[in-house]
Structure formats: C-alpha cells, structure tokens
Amino acid sequence: ETGVTQTPRHLVMGMTNKKSLKCEQHLGHNAMYWYKQSAKKPLELMFVYNFKEQTENNSVPSRFSPECPNSSHLFLHLHTLQPEDSALYLCASSHAGGNTYEQYFGPGTRLTVT
Amino acid sequence: GENVEQHPSTLSVQEGDSAVIKCTYSDSASNYFPWYKQELGKRPQLIIDIRSNVGEKKDQRIAVTLNKTAKHFSLHITETQPEDSAVYFCAAEGDYKLSFGAGTTVTVRA
C-alpha cells in the first residue's frame, strides 16, 4: 500500500492495557501528525513532528505518548486510557516548511476503550 | 491560536442543485486554506485548496472563494451528484499547522 498506512485499523482495549498505534508514510515527507477524530467535533491536532523532532504537543494527556524514530514512522503509545478516549485516530504527513502544508491522511485506527 | 468555524453542520440538497459551505477563521496571518472530503469509513482527502494570493479557484464542479478582509472562505459544489455525499472539512493554516472546522455532512438526494 502506498501513501500513509496505519495499523491496526481497529483496536479494543481495556483501561489498564498498554497498546501502540503505528503510522508509516511512503511519500518522502518529513513532517508527521497525530489527530483525534470524535463524533461531531473538529479534527483535534494532538502531536506534530518535523524532521523527527516534536514541535507540537497540543495539551494532550500523558497517557498518550508519541514516538517518531525516523521521518517515515510515527507511533502513539497508549496506556491507562479512559472511555472518552474512544475515537478515530488519524495520522497524516506533509512536507515541513516551504510554502505548502498539504497533509495526506492515513485510514485511521478506530479505538474503543472499554 | 487559529479558530475555524464552519457552517452549516448538515446540508441536504437535491441532485443537480448547488451546495455551499462557509468557514471563518481568526488568524489574519493564515495564508493556506484546504478543503477535505471524508466519505463514510474512509480517510479525509484533499479536494481543493486556496492560498491567500488568489480570491477564487475552480476545479471542475468545485470552487473555493476567499475573502481575506472578512476572514472567510467558502466551498461551492455545482451540479451535485450522489457521490458528493460525504463530510467536508475546511481548514486554515496557522503557525505551520492546520486547524479544522467541525465538518459539514452533505447529503445529495436522488
């Protein structure tokens, strides 16, 4: 699969579990993003990485921990989540800097916290 | 930070009619305004964008207009078709990141 891929596509976890979401981009981009998409709400930016460095943490609770080992891979580590964290988690990538901010999205991970 | 408001939240149109979605933004320094379409169960996909140095841009049946003075921009879909049914999101760039509107659910009635 080309573009931006995410695994798993669906995840059900208990509040005491630890899991990780994975995102990979095959577009040669150097910026990657995590968004949370809940019903009836705008897309919420969670984290931004430019050239593997975190440049944005949008007041996200510490139970969400991002990791960006290189410009092509992005992880979101989850632990002790709450039911209200159930949502679609979208990864996106773009070129950093310059004059374009066009973001390409992955298919998302549908997370359910029980 | 940037605040983007989008209206209406839902829009139902007869096939063949036009649909218009409007967004306002708060940061006068923003200069990039994309529109994304998200079909049910799929990822958001960019359908058109506009930069602050132009007032209007068209691509077949879709067009976007921008009024920088009033800080609002709009998406226009003409001759709507059933495949236009989706959720549409506007966004504005501020501080090198995008802020999104809450989305408009468009339903095209056959």
Side-chain angles (χ1 to χ4, degrees):
Chain A
E1 187 176 349
T2 58
V4 182
T5 59
Q6 288 185 245
T7 56
R9 295 293 307 276
H10 301 272
L11 178 62
V12 179
M13 60 186 289
M15 290 190 284
T16 58
N17 292 159
K18 289 184 179 181
K19 297 286 184 183
S20 295
L21 310 184
K22 179 183 176 182
C23 176
E24 185 173 359
Q25 60 93 5
H26 310 269
L27 300 168
H29 291 159
N30 44 34
M32 297 186 77
Y33 312 79
W34 279 117
Y35 288 90
K36 177 183 179 182
Q37 187 174 33
S38 305
K40 309 295 184 185
K41 289 186 177 181
L43 280 162
E44 299 174 54
L45 180 65
M46 300 174 71
F47 301 103
V48 180
Y49 278 82
N50 284 319
F51 297 97
K52 302 186 299 178
E53 298 297 320
Q54 186 181 127
T55 57
E56 184 83 18
N57 177 338
N58 212 19
S59 302
V60 180
S62 59
R63 57 186 184 269
F64 295 91
S65 175
E67 179 189 0
C68 188
N70 54 61
S71 294
S72 299
H73 293 86
L74 185 65
F75 296 89
L76 188 62
H77 303 299
L78 316 171
H79 65 97
T80 59
L81 294 191
Q82 304 298 310
E84 59 265 29
D85 297 323
S86 298
L88 181 68
Y89 288 85
L90 289 162
C91 172
S93 70
S94 73
H95 288 292
N99 196 30
T100 179
Y101 307 101
E102 182 176 337
Q103 293 185 16
Y104 293 82
F105 284 87
T109 295
R110 174 67 63 185
L111 174 67
T112 302
V113 181
T114 60
Chain B
E2 178 70 276
N3 182 43
V4 177
E5 296 194 356
Q6 183 172 347
H7 299 280
S9 58
T10 60
L11 181 59
S12 179
V13 296
Q14 188 69 38
E15 183 177 357
D17 288 350
S18 295
V20 180
I21 305 170
K22 298 181 179 181
C23 289
T24 61
Y25 62 98
S26 60
D27 187 352
S28 57
S30 292
N31 59 18
Y32 175 65
F33 307 91
W35 286 88
Y36 285 82
K37 175 183 180 182
Q38 187 175 26
E39 297 178 40
L40 189 63
K42 295 190 176 180
R43 71 189 76 190
Q45 291 196 303
L46 180 73
I47 55 171
I48 194 168
D49 56 17
I50 190 168
R51 299 187 187 278
S52 59
N53 56 345
V54 298
E56 184 176 4
K57 184 177 179 180
K58 289 184 179 180
D59 183 3
Q60 299 181 355
R61 296 187 297 107
I62 59 173
V64 58
T65 59
L66 171 64
N67 183 327
K68 283 220 73 178
T69 303
K71 291 189 284 188
H72 66 71
F73 55 113
S74 301
L75 178 72
H76 305 253
I77 307 173
T78 58
E79 302 174 24
T80 53
Q81 300 171 4
E83 55 264 36
D84 295 328
S85 295
V87 180
Y88 292 80
F89 296 94
C90 64
E93 172 273 332
D95 292 331
Y96 303 103
K97 59 183 184 286
L98 295 178
S99 295
F100 286 83
T104 298
T105 300
V106 174
T107 302
V108 179
R109 307 186 307 272

Coordinates of all heavy atoms in Angstrom, one line a residue, chain A residues 28-109:
Chain A
G28 N 7.9 10.4 1.2 CA 9.1 11.2 1.3 C 8.9 12.5 2.1 O 9.7 13.4 2.0
H29 N 7.9 12.5 2.9 CA 7.6 13.7 3.7 C 8.5 13.7 4.9 O 9.1 12.7 5.3 CB 6.1 13.7 4.2 CG 5.2 13.9 3.0 ND1 3.8 13.6 3.1 CD2 5.3 14.5 1.8 CE1 3.2 14.0 2.0 NE2 4.1 14.5 1.2
N30 N 8.6 14.9 5.6 CA 9.4 15.0 6.8 C 8.6 15.6 8.0 O 9.2 15.9 9.0 CB 10.6 15.8 6.5 CG 10.3 17.1 5.7 OD1 9.2 17.6 5.8 ND2 11.2 17.5 4.8
A31 N 7.3 15.7 7.8 CA 6.5 16.1 9.0 C 5.4 15.1 9.1 O 4.8 14.6 8.2 CB 5.9 17.5 8.8
M32 N 5.1 14.7 10.4 CA 4.0 13.7 10.6 C 3.2 14.2 11.8 O 3.7 14.9 12.7 CB 4.6 12.3 10.9 CG 5.4 11.8 9.7 SD 5.9 10.1 10.0 CE 4.3 9.2 9.7
Y33 N 1.9 13.8 11.8 CA 0.9 14.4 12.7 C 0.0 13.2 13.3 O -0.3 12.3 12.6 CB 0.0 15.4 12.0 CG 0.7 16.4 11.2 CD1 1.2 16.1 9.9 CD2 0.9 17.7 11.6 CE1 1.8 17.0 9.1 CE2 1.5 18.7 10.8 CZ 2.0 18.3 9.6 OH 2.6 19.3 8.8
W34 N -0.4 13.4 14.5 CA -1.5 12.6 15.1 C -2.7 13.5 15.3 O -2.5 14.6 15.9 CB -1.1 12.0 16.4 CG -0.3 10.7 16.3 CD1 1.0 10.5 16.7 CD2 -0.7 9.4 15.7 NE1 1.4 9.2 16.5 CE2 0.4 8.6 15.8 CE3 -1.8 9.0 15.1 CZ2 0.4 7.2 15.4 CZ3 -1.9 7.7 14.6 CH2 -0.8 6.8 14.8
Y35 N -3.9 13.0 14.9 CA -5.1 13.7 15.1 C -6.1 12.8 15.8 O -6.1 11.5 15.6 CB -5.8 14.2 13.8 CG -5.2 15.3 13.1 CD1 -4.2 15.1 12.1 CD2 -5.5 16.6 13.3 CE1 -3.6 16.1 11.4 CE2 -5.0 17.7 12.6 CZ -4.0 17.4 11.7 OH -3.4 18.5 11.0
K36 N -7.0 13.3 16.6 CA -8.1 12.6 17.2 C -9.4 13.1 16.5 O -9.6 14.3 16.4 CB -8.2 12.8 18.7 CG -9.3 12.1 19.4 CD -9.4 12.5 20.9 CE -10.6 11.8 21.5 NZ -10.6 12.2 23.0
Q37 N -10.2 12.1 16.0 CA -11.5 12.5 15.4 C -12.6 11.9 16.2 O -12.8 10.6 16.2 CB -11.5 12.1 14.0 CG -12.8 12.6 13.3 CD -12.8 12.3 11.8 OE1 -12.3 11.3 11.3 NE2 -13.4 13.2 11.0
S38 N -13.4 12.7 16.9 CA -14.5 12.2 17.6 C -15.8 12.7 16.9 O -15.7 13.7 16.2 CB -14.5 12.8 19.1 OG -13.3 12.5 19.7
A39 N -16.9 12.0 17.2 CA -18.1 12.4 16.5 C -18.5 13.8 16.8 O -18.4 14.2 18.0 CB -19.2 11.4 16.9
K40 N -19.0 14.5 15.8 CA -19.5 15.9 16.0 C -18.5 16.9 16.4 O -18.8 18.0 16.9 CB -20.7 15.9 17.0 CG -21.7 14.8 16.7 CD -22.4 15.1 15.3 CE -23.6 14.1 15.1 NZ -24.2 14.2 13.8
K41 N -17.2 16.6 16.3 CA -16.1 17.5 16.8 C -15.2 17.7 15.6 O -15.0 16.9 14.8 CB -15.4 17.0 18.0 CG -16.2 17.0 19.3 CD -15.2 16.5 20.4 CE -15.9 16.6 21.8 NZ -15.0 16.2 22.9
P42 N -14.5 18.9 15.7 CA -13.4 19.1 14.7 C -12.3 18.1 14.9 O -12.1 17.6 16.0 CB -12.9 20.5 14.9 CG -14.0 21.2 15.8 CD -14.6 20.1 16.5
L43 N -11.5 17.9 13.8 CA -10.3 17.1 14.0 C -9.4 17.8 15.0 O -9.1 19.0 14.9 CB -9.6 17.1 12.6 CG -10.0 16.0 11.6 CD1 -9.5 16.3 10.3 CD2 -9.6 14.6 12.1
E44 N -8.9 17.1 16.0 CA -8.1 17.7 17.1 C -6.7 17.3 16.8 O -6.3 16.1 16.9 CB -8.6 17.2 18.4 CG -10.0 17.5 18.8 CD -10.4 16.8 20.1 OE1 -9.7 17.0 21.1 OE2 -11.4 16.1 20.1
L45 N -5.8 18.3 16.6 CA -4.4 18.0 16.5 C -3.8 17.6 17.8 O -4.0 18.3 18.8 CB -3.7 19.2 15.9 CG -2.2 19.1 15.7 CD1 -1.9 18.1 14.6 CD2 -1.6 20.5 15.4
M46 N -3.1 16.5 17.8 CA -2.5 16.0 19.1 C -1.0 16.3 19.1 O -0.5 17.0 20.1 CB -2.7 14.5 19.3 CG -4.2 14.1 19.3 SD -4.4 12.3 19.3 CE -3.8 11.9 21.0
F47 N -0.3 15.8 18.1 CA 1.2 16.0 18.1 C 1.6 16.3 16.7 O 1.0 15.8 15.7 CB 1.9 14.7 18.6 CG 1.5 14.2 20.0 CD1 0.6 13.2 20.2 CD2 2.0 14.9 21.1 CE1 0.3 12.8 21.4 CE2 1.7 14.5 22.3 CZ 0.8 13.4 22.5
V48 N 2.8 17.0 16.6 CA 3.4 17.3 15.3 C 4.9 17.0 15.5 O 5.5 17.3 16.5 CB 3.3 18.8 14.9 CG1 3.9 19.0 13.6 CG2 1.8 19.2 14.8
Y49 N 5.4 16.3 14.5 CA 6.9 16.0 14.4 C 7.4 16.6 13.1 O 6.8 16.3 12.0 CB 7.2 14.5 14.5 CG 7.2 14.0 15.9 CD1 6.0 13.6 16.5 CD2 8.4 13.8 16.6 CE1 6.0 13.1 17.8 CE2 8.4 13.3 17.8 CZ 7.2 13.0 18.5 OH 7.2 12.5 19.7
N50 N 8.4 17.4 13.2 CA 9.1 17.9 12.0 C 10.6 17.3 12.1 O 11.3 17.6 13.0 CB 9.2 19.4 12.0 CG 7.9 20.0 11.6 OD1 7.2 19.5 10.7 ND2 7.5 21.1 12.2
F51 N 11.0 16.6 11.0 CA 12.3 16.1 11.0 C 12.6 15.3 12.3 O 13.7 15.4 12.9 CB 13.4 17.2 10.8 CG 13.2 17.8 9.4 CD1 12.6 19.1 9.4 CD2 13.8 17.3 8.3 CE1 12.4 19.7 8.1 CE2 13.7 18.0 7.1 CZ 13.0 19.2 7.0
K52 N 11.7 14.5 12.7 CA 11.8 13.6 13.9 C 11.7 14.3 15.2 O 11.7 13.7 16.2 CB 13.0 12.7 13.8 CG 13.2 11.9 12.6 CD 14.4 11.0 12.7 CE 15.7 11.8 12.9 NZ 16.9 10.9 13.1
E53 N 11.6 15.6 15.2 CA 11.6 16.4 16.4 C 10.1 16.8 16.7 O 9.4 17.3 15.8 CB 12.5 17.6 16.3 CG 13.9 17.3 16.1 CD 14.5 16.5 17.3 OE1 14.2 16.9 18.5 OE2 15.3 15.6 17.1
Q54 N 9.7 16.6 18.0 CA 8.3 17.0 18.3 C 8.3 18.5 18.4 O 9.0 19.2 19.1 CB 7.9 16.4 19.6 CG 6.4 16.7 20.0 CD 6.0 16.1 21.3 OE1 5.5 16.7 22.1 NE2 6.3 14.8 21.5
T55 N 7.4 19.1 17.6 CA 7.2 20.6 17.6 C 5.9 21.0 18.2 O 5.7 22.2 18.3 CB 7.4 21.1 16.2 OG1 6.4 20.5 15.3 CG2 8.8 20.8 15.6
E56 N 5.0 20.1 18.4 CA 3.7 20.5 18.9 C 3.2 19.4 19.8 O 3.2 18.2 19.5 CB 2.7 20.7 17.8 CG 1.4 21.2 18.2 CD 1.3 22.7 18.3 OE1 2.2 23.4 17.8 OE2 0.3 23.2 19.0
N57 N 2.7 19.8 21.0 CA 2.0 18.9 21.9 C 0.8 19.7 22.4 O 0.9 20.6 23.2 CB 2.9 18.5 23.1 CG 2.1 17.6 24.1 OD1 0.9 17.6 24.1 ND2 2.9 16.8 24.9
N58 N -0.3 19.3 21.8 CA -1.5 20.2 22.0 C -2.2 19.9 23.3 O -3.4 19.5 23.3 CB -2.4 20.0 20.8 CG -3.2 21.3 20.4 OD1 -2.8 22.4 20.9 ND2 -4.2 21.2 19.7
S59 N -1.5 20.0 24.4 CA -2.1 19.7 25.7 C -2.7 18.4 25.8 O -3.8 18.2 26.3 CB -3.2 20.8 26.0 OG -2.6 22.1 26.0
V60 N -2.0 17.4 25.3 CA -2.5 16.0 25.3 C -2.2 15.3 26.6 O -1.0 15.5 27.1 CB -1.9 15.2 24.1 CG1 -2.5 13.8 24.1 CG2 -2.2 15.9 22.8
P61 N -3.1 14.6 27.2 CA -2.8 13.9 28.5 C -1.6 12.9 28.3 O -1.4 12.4 27.2 CB -4.1 13.1 28.8 CG -5.1 13.9 28.0 CD -4.5 14.4 26.8
S62 N -0.9 12.7 29.4 CA 0.3 11.9 29.3 C 0.1 10.5 29.1 O 1.0 9.7 28.8 CB 1.1 12.1 30.6 OG 0.3 11.7 31.7
R63 N -1.2 10.0 29.1 CA -1.5 8.6 28.8 C -1.3 8.4 27.3 O -1.4 7.2 26.9 CB -2.9 8.3 29.3 CG -4.0 9.1 28.7 CD -5.4 8.8 29.4 NE -6.5 9.5 28.9 CZ -6.9 10.6 29.4 NH1 -6.3 11.2 30.4 NH2 -8.0 11.2 28.8
F64 N -1.1 9.4 26.5 CA -0.8 9.3 25.1 C 0.7 9.7 25.0 O 1.0 10.8 25.3 CB -1.6 10.2 24.2 CG -3.1 9.9 24.2 CD1 -4.0 10.5 25.1 CD2 -3.6 9.0 23.3 CE1 -5.3 10.1 25.1 CE2 -4.9 8.7 23.3 CZ -5.8 9.2 24.2
S65 N 1.5 8.8 24.4 CA 2.9 9.1 24.3 C 3.4 8.8 22.9 O 3.4 7.7 22.4 CB 3.7 8.2 25.3 OG 5.1 8.3 25.1
P66 N 3.8 9.9 22.2 CA 4.2 9.7 20.8 C 5.7 9.3 20.7 O 6.5 9.6 21.6 CB 3.9 11.0 20.1 CG 4.2 12.0 21.3 CD 3.8 11.3 22.5
E67 N 6.0 8.7 19.5 CA 7.4 8.3 19.3 C 7.6 8.4 17.8 O 6.8 7.9 17.0 CB 7.7 6.9 19.7 CG 9.2 6.5 19.4 CD 9.4 5.0 19.7 OE1 8.4 4.3 20.1 OE2 10.5 4.6 19.5
C68 N 8.7 9.1 17.4 CA 9.0 9.2 15.9 C 10.5 8.9 15.7 O 11.3 9.7 15.8 CB 8.7 10.7 15.5 SG 8.8 10.9 13.7
P69 N 10.7 7.6 15.4 CA 12.1 7.1 15.3 C 12.8 7.6 14.0 O 14.0 7.8 14.0 CB 12.0 5.6 15.3 CG 10.6 5.4 14.8 CD 9.8 6.5 15.3
N70 N 12.0 7.9 13.0 CA 12.5 8.5 11.7 C 11.4 9.2 11.0 O 10.3 9.1 11.4 CB 13.2 7.4 10.9 CG 12.2 6.2 10.6 OD1 11.2 6.4 10.0 ND2 12.6 5.0 11.1
S71 N 11.7 9.8 9.9 CA 10.7 10.7 9.2 C 9.6 9.9 8.6 O 8.6 10.4 8.2 CB 11.4 11.5 8.1 OG 12.3 12.4 8.7
S72 N 9.8 8.5 8.5 CA 8.8 7.7 7.9 C 7.8 7.0 8.8 O 6.8 6.5 8.4 CB 9.4 6.7 7.0 OG 10.2 7.3 6.0
H73 N 8.2 7.0 10.1 CA 7.4 6.2 11.1 C 7.0 7.0 12.3 O 7.8 7.9 12.8 CB 8.2 5.0 11.6 CG 8.5 4.0 10.5 ND1 9.6 4.1 9.7 CD2 7.8 2.8 10.1 CE1 9.6 3.0 8.8 NE2 8.5 2.3 9.1
L74 N 5.8 6.8 12.7 CA 5.2 7.5 13.9 C 4.4 6.5 14.7 O 3.6 5.8 14.1 CB 4.4 8.7 13.4 CG 3.8 9.6 14.5 CD1 4.9 10.4 15.2 CD2 2.8 10.6 13.8
F75 N 4.6 6.6 16.0 CA 3.9 5.7 16.9 C 3.1 6.5 17.9 O 3.5 7.7 18.2 CB 4.8 4.7 17.6 CG 5.6 3.8 16.7 CD1 6.8 4.1 16.2 CD2 5.0 2.5 16.5 CE1 7.5 3.2 15.4 CE2 5.7 1.6 15.7 CZ 6.9 2.0 15.1
L76 N 2.0 5.9 18.4 CA 1.3 6.5 19.5 C 1.1 5.4 20.5 O 0.4 4.5 20.3 CB 0.0 7.1 19.1 CG -0.8 7.9 20.1 CD1 0.0 9.2 20.5 CD2 -2.2 8.3 19.6
H77 N 1.8 5.6 21.7 CA 1.8 4.6 22.7 C 0.6 5.0 23.7 O 0.5 6.1 24.1 CB 3.1 4.5 23.5 CG 4.3 4.2 22.6 ND1 4.3 3.0 21.8 CD2 5.4 4.9 22.3 CE1 5.4 3.0 21.1 NE2 6.1 4.2 21.4
L78 N -0.2 4.0 24.0 CA -1.4 4.2 24.8 C -1.3 3.4 26.1 O -1.0 2.3 26.1 CB -2.6 3.8 24.0 CG -2.7 4.2 22.6 CD1 -3.9 3.5 21.9 CD2 -2.8 5.7 22.4
H79 N -1.7 4.1 27.2 CA -1.7 3.3 28.5 C -2.7 4.0 29.4 O -2.8 5.2 29.5 CB -0.3 3.2 29.1 CG 0.3 4.5 29.5 ND1 0.2 5.0 30.8 CD2 0.9 5.5 28.8 CE1 0.8 6.2 30.9 NE2 1.3 6.5 29.7
T80 N -3.4 3.2 30.2 CA -4.4 3.6 31.2 C -5.4 4.6 30.6 O -5.6 5.7 31.1 CB -3.8 4.2 32.5 OG1 -3.0 5.3 32.1 CG2 -3.0 3.1 33.2
L81 N -5.9 4.3 29.4 CA -6.8 5.2 28.7 C -8.2 5.2 29.4 O -8.5 4.3 30.2 CB -7.0 4.8 27.3 CG -5.8 4.9 26.4 CD1 -6.2 4.7 24.9 CD2 -5.1 6.3 26.6
Q82 N -9.0 6.2 29.1 CA -10.4 6.4 29.6 C -11.4 6.1 28.5 O -11.0 6.3 27.3 CB -10.5 7.8 30.1 CG -9.5 8.2 31.2 CD -9.6 7.3 32.4 OE1 -10.7 7.1 32.9 NE2 -8.4 6.7 32.8
P83 N -12.6 5.8 28.8 CA -13.6 5.6 27.8 C -13.8 6.8 26.8 O -14.0 6.6 25.6 CB -14.9 5.3 28.6 CG -14.4 4.7 29.9 CD -13.1 5.4 30.2
E84 N -13.6 8.0 27.3 CA -13.7 9.2 26.5 C -12.6 9.3 25.4 O -12.7 10.1 24.5 CB -13.8 10.4 27.3 CG -12.6 10.7 28.2 CD -12.8 10.2 29.6 OE1 -13.6 9.2 29.8 OE2 -12.2 10.8 30.5
D85 N -11.6 8.4 25.6 CA -10.5 8.4 24.6 C -10.9 7.6 23.3 O -10.2 7.6 22.3 CB -9.3 7.8 25.1 CG -8.7 8.7 26.3 OD1 -8.8 9.9 26.2 OD2 -8.2 8.1 27.3
S86 N -12.1 6.9 23.4 CA -12.5 6.2 22.2 C -12.8 7.2 21.1 O -13.5 8.2 21.2 CB -13.8 5.4 22.6 OG -13.6 4.5 23.6
A87 N -12.2 6.9 19.9 CA -12.3 7.8 18.8 C -11.5 7.2 17.6 O -11.0 6.1 17.7 CB -11.6 9.2 19.1
L88 N -11.5 7.9 16.5 CA -10.7 7.5 15.3 C -9.4 8.3 15.4 O -9.5 9.5 15.5 CB -11.5 7.8 14.0 CG -10.7 7.5 12.7 CD1 -10.6 6.0 12.6 CD2 -11.5 8.1 11.5
Y89 N -8.3 7.6 15.4 CA -7.0 8.3 15.5 C -6.4 8.3 14.1 O -6.1 7.2 13.5 CB -6.1 7.6 16.5 CG -6.6 8.0 17.9 CD1 -7.6 7.2 18.5 CD2 -6.1 9.1 18.6 CE1 -8.1 7.5 19.8 CE2 -6.6 9.4 19.9 CZ -7.6 8.6 20.4 OH -8.1 8.9 21.7
L90 N -6.2 9.5 13.6 CA -5.7 9.6 12.2 C -4.2 10.1 12.2 O -3.9 11.0 13.0 CB -6.5 10.7 11.5 CG -7.9 10.2 11.1 CD1 -8.8 11.4 10.7 CD2 -7.9 9.3 9.9
C91 N -3.4 9.5 11.4 CA -2.1 10.0 11.2 C -2.1 10.7 9.8 O -2.8 10.4 8.9 CB -1.2 8.8 11.1 SG 0.5 9.1 10.6
A92 N -1.2 11.7 9.8 CA -1.0 12.5 8.5 C 0.4 12.8 8.3 O 1.2 12.8 9.3 CB -1.9 13.7 8.5
S93 N 0.8 13.1 7.1 CA 2.2 13.6 6.8 C 2.1 14.7 5.8 O 1.2 14.9 5.0 CB 3.0 12.4 6.3 OG 2.6 12.0 5.0
S94 N 3.2 15.4 5.8 CA 3.4 16.5 4.8 C 4.8 16.9 4.7 O 5.7 16.4 5.4 CB 2.6 17.8 5.3 OG 3.2 18.4 6.3
H95 N 5.1 17.8 3.7 CA 6.4 18.4 3.7 C 6.5 19.4 4.8 O 5.6 20.2 4.9 CB 6.7 19.0 2.3 CG 6.9 18.0 1.2 ND1 8.0 17.2 1.2 CD2 6.1 17.7 0.2 CE1 7.9 16.4 0.1 NE2 6.8 16.7 -0.5
A96 N 7.6 19.5 5.5 CA 7.7 20.5 6.5 C 8.3 21.8 5.9 O 9.2 21.7 5.1 CB 8.7 20.0 7.6
G97 N 7.8 22.9 6.4 CA 8.4 24.2 5.9 C 8.0 24.5 4.5 O 7.0 23.9 4.0
G98 N 8.6 25.4 3.9 CA 8.3 25.7 2.5 C 7.0 26.4 2.4 O 6.5 27.1 3.3
N99 N 6.3 26.3 1.3 CA 5.1 27.0 1.0 C 3.9 26.1 0.9 O 2.9 26.5 0.2 CB 5.3 27.9 -0.2 CG 4.3 28.9 -0.3 OD1 3.8 29.4 0.7 ND2 3.9 29.3 -1.5
T100 N 4.0 24.9 1.4 CA 2.8 24.0 1.2 C 2.6 23.3 2.5 O 3.5 22.9 3.2 CB 3.1 23.0 0.1 OG1 1.9 22.2 0.0 CG2 4.3 22.1 0.4
Y101 N 1.4 23.1 2.9 CA 1.0 22.4 4.1 C 0.0 21.3 3.8 O -0.7 20.8 4.7 CB 0.4 23.4 5.1 CG 1.3 24.6 5.4 CD1 1.1 25.8 4.8 CD2 2.4 24.5 6.2 CE1 1.9 26.9 4.9 CE2 3.3 25.5 6.4 CZ 3.0 26.7 5.7 OH 3.8 27.8 5.9
E102 N 0.0 20.9 2.5 CA -0.9 19.8 2.2 C -0.6 18.6 3.0 O 0.5 18.0 2.9 CB -0.9 19.5 0.7 CG -1.8 18.5 0.2 CD -1.8 18.3 -1.3 OE1 -1.4 19.3 -2.0 OE2 -2.2 17.2 -1.8
Q103 N -1.6 18.1 3.7 CA -1.4 16.9 4.5 C -2.2 15.7 3.9 O -3.3 15.8 3.4 CB -2.0 17.2 5.9 CG -1.2 18.2 6.7 CD -1.6 18.4 8.1 OE1 -2.3 17.6 8.7 NE2 -1.2 19.5 8.7
Y104 N -1.5 14.6 3.9 CA -2.1 13.3 3.5 C -2.4 12.5 4.7 O -1.5 12.3 5.5 CB -1.1 12.6 2.5 CG -0.9 13.3 1.2 CD1 0.0 14.4 1.2 CD2 -1.6 13.0 0.1 CE1 0.2 15.1 0.0 CE2 -1.4 13.7 -1.1 CZ -0.4 14.7 -1.2 OH -0.2 15.4 -2.3
F105 N -3.6 12.0 4.7 CA -4.1 11.2 5.9 C -4.0 9.7 5.7 O -4.1 9.2 4.5 CB -5.5 11.6 6.2 CG -5.7 12.9 6.9 CD1 -5.8 14.1 6.1 CD2 -5.7 13.0 8.3 CE1 -5.9 15.3 6.7 CE2 -5.8 14.2 8.9 CZ -5.9 15.4 8.1
G106 N -3.7 9.0 6.8 CA -3.9 7.6 6.7 C -5.3 7.2 6.9 O -6.2 8.0 7.2
P107 N -5.6 5.9 6.9 CA -7.0 5.4 7.0 C -7.6 5.5 8.5 O -8.8 5.4 8.7 CB -7.0 4.0 6.5 CG -5.6 3.6 6.8 CD -4.7 4.8 6.6
G108 N -6.7 5.7 9.4 CA -7.1 5.8 10.8 C -7.2 4.4 11.5 O -7.2 3.4 11.0
T109 N -7.1 4.6 12.9 CA -7.3 3.4 13.8 C -8.6 3.7 14.6 O -8.6 4.8 15.3 CB -6.1 3.2 14.7 OG1 -5.0 2.8 14.0 CG2 -6.4 2.1 15.7

